Amino acid sequence: MEIIMDFLESYRTPEGSWMADDQPLRMYTSPTRGQFPVLMGMFGSRRLCRLFLDPKGSYAADISDAQLLMQAVDSQVAAHVLEKARLPRSVVKQPDLARLLPVLSYGSRDPGPTITLGLVYARDAKAGIGNCSFHRITVKDGSVAIGIYPGGHLQRLIDAHVARGVQLSVSVNIGIDPAIYLASVLGRPSVDFGFDELAAAGALREMAVEIAPCFHNQGWFIDHAEITLEGALGEEMEFESPFPDGLSMPEYLGYQSPWGMVSTLQIQAATFRPDAVYQTLSGPGMEQSTLLGIGQECAVYAKLREWRILDLVRSVVSLPSGGGHLLTVLQVSKKAPQDDAKILDIAEALIGEVSSLMNLLIVDWDVNARSPADVLWALATRSRLDMDIHASAVLPGTPLDPSQSREYARQERDGTTRKCVVDCTVPSGLQARFRRAFVGDL
């Protein structure tokens, strides 16, 4: 845990928030475990993520990260399958991951050291589809456990292979082009099952991502990855924690959750490039919130594009203080009196369509949606909470939020909640009274 604690201490201050402040890019060259240096903070700010999405600065600032990713979905460049690995790699059969990798621990009651930026690549040769996703992967004594969302695309691939009587061969790729990590946050409704996120990463780079056949299973790995694990997934499950009173590693919302049953990842081999670097993140914090937030912004943008109402919405921002999911800002530009009601209808439809949305704040064009302080200014001066909070019926949410539980709301089931739209916009006809100082006319 010494690396995690040092990383947190490197940027948190008494006045700041370790959950929502930008995180530094930091390399630890001599970890106490494993054979590789540790890189943290790669996604520690939206500025860095924008650089990874648009390294040449080809797009104006008003073109959002979600727009760039959805453009990549529209103009995808399929992965290029190599006959064999292009780059030289060392191969270790049946590796002792606890000795080989500098896998970090996040708390005294964690299930064990956890890989947090291992991108799982799975490919169904029969169906001709691929999938990228990252999961928490816990290295335990004698086994490796992986948390997989039950309804997600990876689980569907596993189920399809189990139905054929075989396991799903996968690779876990650590230390790859940031564009692939960013593309891997795409999910429904941005893309459907069967979409290979490597194709979006290829479009971002205007060059196909190269994949090579694994050395010890029937899967494929990302050829340029610093470190890869080769393994298989099937029906086998195990307890995530070896401790009866244990907890999962800290979740993206900043809490620890009770552990449960997770999939067993059968590791067959590890491979690595010369001078490889191990990449990870701190669990809850800017990096994880940024990755999840960009994914949610894509989901909202996809629905707005589907409904053909992008003319009213200037930007969508998922704030890190909500873990990238629970606090989202919709910046709008009203053009007519009827837009007051129309924008509310749009917001209420969004919280019903995107399950990860919880609190959706609507602000005007003159409010900086990326500034929590500016959003709070709009909340304080352009809303009356007794009038402007619009609560939904009980909707599906996330059980990782402690407030979405029967203990918190006895009449609701775990993982459900009433979601809220908060209207922080100027009502039509009152623009003159709410004209903001130092800003042009509303």
Side-chain angles (χ1 to χ4, degrees), residues 110-414:
D110 282 2
T114 302
I115 298 169
T116 55
L117 276 180
L119 184 127
V120 177
Y121 185 64
R123 194 172 175 90
D124 186 336
K126 185 174 181 179
I129 59 177
N131 183 72
C132 293
S133 53
F134 51 92
H135 310 260
R136 64 175 186 266
I137 301 173
T138 303
V139 178
K140 299 161 61 179
D141 291 338
S143 70
V144 176
I146 177 171
I148 301 173
Y149 178 64
H153 294 177
L154 178 59
Q155 187 61 55
R156 290 180 63 176
L157 285 175
I158 295 170
D159 293 343
H161 281 71
V162 168
R164 299 174 202 158
V166 297
Q167 291 185 312
L168 174 66
S169 293
V170 299
S171 63
V172 180
N173 302 268
I174 303 170
I176 53 178
D177 181 348
I180 302 176
Y181 282 120
L182 290 165
S184 73
V185 304
L186 293 165
R188 292 188 62 194
S190 307
V191 297
D192 294 321
F193 175 65
F195 179 81
D196 189 342
E197 290 83 356
L198 291 185
L204 288 169
R205 292 291 177 259
E206 300 179 341
M207 180 187 306
V209 177
E210 293 184 330
I211 57 175
C214 290
F215 293 87
H216 289 281
N217 68 24
Q218 299 302 308
W220 290 263
F221 69 91
I222 296 167
D223 188 62
H224 70 257
E226 299 279 319
I227 301 165
T228 65
L229 309 178
E230 299 179 2
L233 291 165
E235 292 184 287
E236 187 177 354
M237 305 282 286
E238 63 183 83
F239 292 114
E240 184 173 19
S241 176
F243 312 115
D245 62 344
L247 298 169
S248 70
M249 70 162 286
E251 300 286 358
Y252 67 99
L253 296 176
Y255 300 103
Q256 289 187 293
S257 302
W259 55 266
M261 295 291 289
V262 295
S263 294
T264 298
L265 175 59
Q266 298 177 5
I267 297 295
Q268 297 144 340
T271 78
F272 50 91
R273 294 172 53 176
D275 301 317
V277 173
Y278 177 85
Q279 187 176 350
T280 189
L281 50 72
S282 65
M286 177 60 82
E287 279 197 275
Q288 194 167 22
S289 296
T290 293
L291 289 168
L292 293 175
I294 290 174
Q296 180 162 276
E297 291 166 14
C298 288
V300 172
Y301 179 83
K303 295 307 297 185
L304 295 173
R305 186 171 68 167
E306 176 188 330
W307 297 337
R308 300 179 183 274
I309 48 178
L310 288 170
D311 58 319
L312 285 175
V313 180
R314 293 172 66 100
S315 67
V316 181
V317 178
S318 293
L319 294 175
S321 46
H325 277 178
L326 302 189
L327 187 59
T328 302
V329 182
L330 202 65
Q331 185 193 47
V332 301
S333 183
K334 297 179 184 179
K335 299 177 174 62
Q338 60 266 31
D339 289 345
D340 284 354
K342 187 175 182 180
I343 285 169
L344 269 178
D345 289 342
I346 292 168
E348 290 172 347
L350 284 170
I351 61 175
E353 290 284 337
V354 181
S355 62
S356 54
L357 283 172
M358 185 176 176
N359 299 298
L360 185 58
L361 278 62
I362 315 173
V363 301
D364 287 303
W365 69 270
D366 62 338
V367 175
N368 182 356
R370 292 206 176 279
S371 166
D374 221 30
V375 172
L376 286 174
W377 173 83
L379 177 70
T381 68
R382 292 184 176 178
S383 72
R384 284 264 307 267
L385 297 185
D386 61 322
M387 297 169 54
D388 295 319
I389 293 179
H390 304 267
S392 73
V394 177
L395 295 170
T398 171
L400 298 180
D401 174 8
S403 75
Q404 299 182 38
S405 64
R406 293 192 67 179
E407 290 84 0
Y408 194 92
R410 294 183 183 278
Q411 71 277 19
E412 297 171 9
R413 293 180 290 108
D414 288 348

Side-chain angles (χ1 to χ4, degrees), residues 18-74:
W18 62 266
M19 183 75 185
D21 286 351
D22 284 359
Q23 294 177 312
L25 191 62
R26 202 168 178 90
M27 178 83 83
Y28 294 89
T29 58
S30 302
T32 56
R33 176 195 295 129
Q35 301 180 14
F36 309 102
V38 175
L39 176 64
M40 300 183 70
M42 183 69 80
F43 304 102
S45 72
R46 289 301 291 255
R47 179 184 57 79
L48 273 177
C49 290
R50 181 65 178 208
L51 177 65
F52 300 144
L53 289 170
D54 182 22
K56 298 178 182 177
S58 303
Y59 295 89
D62 60 351
I63 303 297
S64 69
D65 297 342
Q67 286 175 273
L68 293 180
L69 275 166
M70 294 307 296
Q71 286 177 15
V73 170
D74 295 338

Side-chain angles (χ1 to χ4, degrees), residues 425-442:
T425 64
V426 175
S428 294
L430 298 180
Q431 286 89 344
R433 181 65 182 88
F434 283 86
R435 181 182 300 166
R436 190 169 187 180
F438 313 117
V439 178
D441 290 344
L442 279 169

